[in-house]
């Protein structure tokens, strides 16, 4: 049995071969999926603890003009809000998105500085328009001369030390799943197909997931494990489907450390070399700052090319977030002033800064509003 993965400029056109019988087709009962996701959510929260504060009506103006705070648009689930509970928390969020028939899902950590408009444009060009189901930042492989592939797995098994609320976990090395994956901190994108695949897996494997709840405590590894089990392979933010090579099997994809020393290691290594080159040449590199690769020492004046190209930058403290946003605003204002001065010299009239927004909004779903667009309606 084979499942075709997303085609990204030809990189993902090969077939992902299952080396054992997969579960039932996760899309065979697609119309029933939201209802099943709603039922599964009961494992994570009751009706009293699931709150979605959507206060807009069809007559409301855009969100920026309603006076609503971010807290008015937050989904609250009664989940384990500890470090080790993050896998359950993210899975519950994906189930919620499926139950509410969302088309796209993006998980991101709270220490990521994001420019939504730029990032959404990046996702549309590089993921949505190309039919990608799962996109993120590959960050587990490191260059080496220890094997012919030139790369090796570098999963840290003590990353959780000092972070867990259960003391015993802070001295136990990670022994959970270790598939090929994308970084959970940088964030990853899922399509509706991928979200529904997660829902189907949880439906079939919930008891096993609960049994290993405090073994598989690395959220990005657990979600990657689920997606691979459902027939998906990740695409890096550079657009390269690094692990989609001839001979890739589900079993091989579930063990990233032995993958690079096996027969398909060199082919994956070639893709990793291409990815590394593209990251440096295009600026799609989440670790790059103006002071080099020092993600842990970010100040407000650091605007790496990754932020300018993709729209996100990880590892930013709450204090630096505000400073960075202020720096970005000043930079944009300076550029706008320069543009106005140049236009004035050329005799070109620019639109006024406070020009009225003439975008027409219409109702969507239960109480939501969205701009009218000729493109297909989506929820993200």
């Amino acid at each position: 049995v084979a499942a075709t993965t997303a085609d990204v400029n030809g990189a993902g056109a090969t077939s992902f071969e299952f080396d054992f019988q997969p579960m039932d087709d996760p899309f065979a009962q697609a119309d029933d999926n939201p209802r099943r996701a709603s039922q599964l959510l009961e494992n994570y929260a009751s009706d009293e603890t699931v709150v979605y504060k959507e206060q807009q009506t069809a007559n409301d103006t855009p969100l920026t003009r309603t006076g609503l705070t971010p807290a008015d648009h937050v989904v609250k689930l009664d989940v384990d809000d500890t470090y080790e509970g993050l896998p359950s928390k993210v899975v519950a969020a994906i189930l919620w998105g499926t139950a509410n028939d969302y088309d796209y899902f993006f998980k991101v950590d709270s220490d990521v500085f994001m420019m939504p408009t730029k990032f959404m444009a990046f996702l549309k060009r590089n993921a949505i328009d190309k039919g990608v189901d799962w996109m993120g930042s590959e960050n587990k492989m490191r260059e080496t001369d220890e094997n012919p592939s030139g790369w090796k797995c570098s999963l840290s098994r003590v990353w959780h030390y000092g972070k867990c609320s259960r003391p015993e976990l802070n001295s136990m090395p990670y022994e959970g799943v270790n598939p090929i994956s994308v970084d959970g901190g940088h964030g990853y994108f899922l399509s509706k197909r991928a979200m529904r695949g997660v829902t189907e897996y949880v439906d079939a494997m919930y008891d096993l997931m609960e049994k290993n709840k405090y073994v598989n405590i690395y959220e990005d590894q657990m979600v990657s494990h689920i997606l691979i089990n459902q027939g998906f392979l990740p695409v890096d933010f550079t657009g390269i489907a690094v692990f989609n090579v001839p001979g890739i099997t589900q079993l091989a994809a579930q063990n990233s450390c032995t993958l690079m020393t096996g027969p398909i290691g060199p082919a994956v290594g070639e893709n990793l070399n291409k990815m590394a080159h593209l990251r440096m040449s295009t600026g799609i590199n989440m670790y790059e700052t103006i002071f080099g690769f020092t993600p842990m020492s970010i100040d407000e004046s650091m605007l790496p090319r990754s932020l300018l190209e993709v729209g996100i930058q990880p590892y930013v403290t709450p204090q630096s977030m505000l400073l960075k946003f202020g720096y970005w605003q000043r930079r944009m204002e300076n550029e706008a002033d320069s543009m106005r001065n140049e236009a004035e010299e050329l005799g070109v009239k620019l639109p006024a800064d406070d020009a009225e927004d003439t975008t027409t909004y219409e109702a969507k779903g239960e109480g939501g509003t969205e701009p009218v667009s000729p493109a297909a309606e989506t929820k993200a």
Side-chain angles (χ1 to χ4, degrees), residues 65-77:
R65 302 180 189 173
T66 59
L68 299 181
T69 66
D72 292 318
H73 298 276
V74 173
V75 181
K76 298 180 181 179
L77 300 173

Side-chain angles (χ1 to χ4, degrees), residues 93-124:
I94 295 173
L95 291 176
W96 188 92
T98 304
N100 287 273
D101 203 28
Y102 273 72
D103 295 307
Y104 306 108
F105 176 91
F106 186 74
K107 181 268 173 183
V108 65
D109 278 3
S110 58
D111 62 351
V112 175
F113 181 78
M114 177 180 289
M115 296 185 292
T117 302
K118 182 174 288 292
F119 181 61
M120 290 299 290
F122 173 87
L123 280 183
K124 186 176 187 305

Side-chain angles (χ1 to χ4, degrees), residues 276-334:
H277 173 73
L278 271 175
R279 284 181 174 182
M280 292 303 298
S281 61
T282 64
I284 303 176
N285 192 313
M286 301 303 149
Y287 294 99
E288 183 186 8
T289 72
I290 59 174
F291 295 101
F293 296 89
T294 54
M296 298 316 228
S297 59
I298 293 173
D299 66 22
E300 71 276 11
S301 63
M302 290 187 183
L303 292 175
R305 292 177 65 199
S306 65
L307 183 63
L308 302 179
E309 296 293 332
V310 183
I312 59 175
Q313 180 184 355
Y315 312 119
V316 181
T317 65
Q319 295 79 10
S320 294
M321 284 263 186
L322 295 175
L323 294 171
K324 185 179 291 291
F325 184 69
Y327 179 85
W328 174 259
Q329 280 189 315
R330 291 192 297 274
R331 173 174 170 157
M332 293 299 98
E333 289 169 359
N334 290 338

Side-chain angles (χ1 to χ4, degrees), residues 119-180:
F119 181 61
M120 290 299 290
F122 173 87
L123 280 183
K124 186 176 187 305
R125 289 193 312 270
N126 297 281
I128 296 172
D129 289 349
K130 296 180 178 180
V132 174
D133 290 310
W134 176 20
M135 174 175 274
S137 178
E138 196 293 314
N139 79 328
K140 191 187 290 185
M141 300 300 177
R142 299 290 182 270
E143 292 185 82
T144 183
D145 56 6
E146 298 175 6
N147 65 67
S149 74
W151 295 79
K152 68 176 181 180
C153 164
S154 64
L155 176 69
S156 171
R157 298 186 180 275
V158 297
W159 182 260
H160 59 288
Y161 279 16
K163 300 183 178 75
C164 297
S165 65
R166 291 160 178 79
E168 66 276 11
L169 295 178
N170 289 316
S171 59
M172 294 172 56
Y174 176 76
E175 296 293 340
V177 293
N178 181 24
I180 58 176

Side-chain angles (χ1 to χ4, degrees), residues 14-84:
T14 58
S15 187
F16 180 21
E17 299 174 358
F18 290 103
D19 57 331
F20 56 88
Q21 186 66 30
M23 300 186 338
D24 292 338
D25 180 1
F27 315 114
Q29 297 177 330
D31 292 339
D32 192 39
N33 210 284
R35 182 185 64 83
R36 298 176 70 181
S38 297
Q39 294 172 344
L40 289 171
L41 267 176
E42 296 177 4
N43 294 322
Y44 297 91
S46 67
D47 291 338
E48 290 72 33
T49 54
V50 180
V51 181
Y52 181 52
K53 297 182 179 179
E54 177 55 79
Q55 299 181 9
Q56 278 197 296
T57 67
N59 296 322
D60 271 344
T61 51
L63 283 178
T64 53
R65 302 180 189 173
T66 59
L68 299 181
T69 66
D72 292 318
H73 298 276
V74 173
V75 181
K76 298 180 181 179
L77 300 173
D78 187 19
V79 294
D80 182 356
D81 201 18
T82 63
Y83 182 89
E84 60 268 33

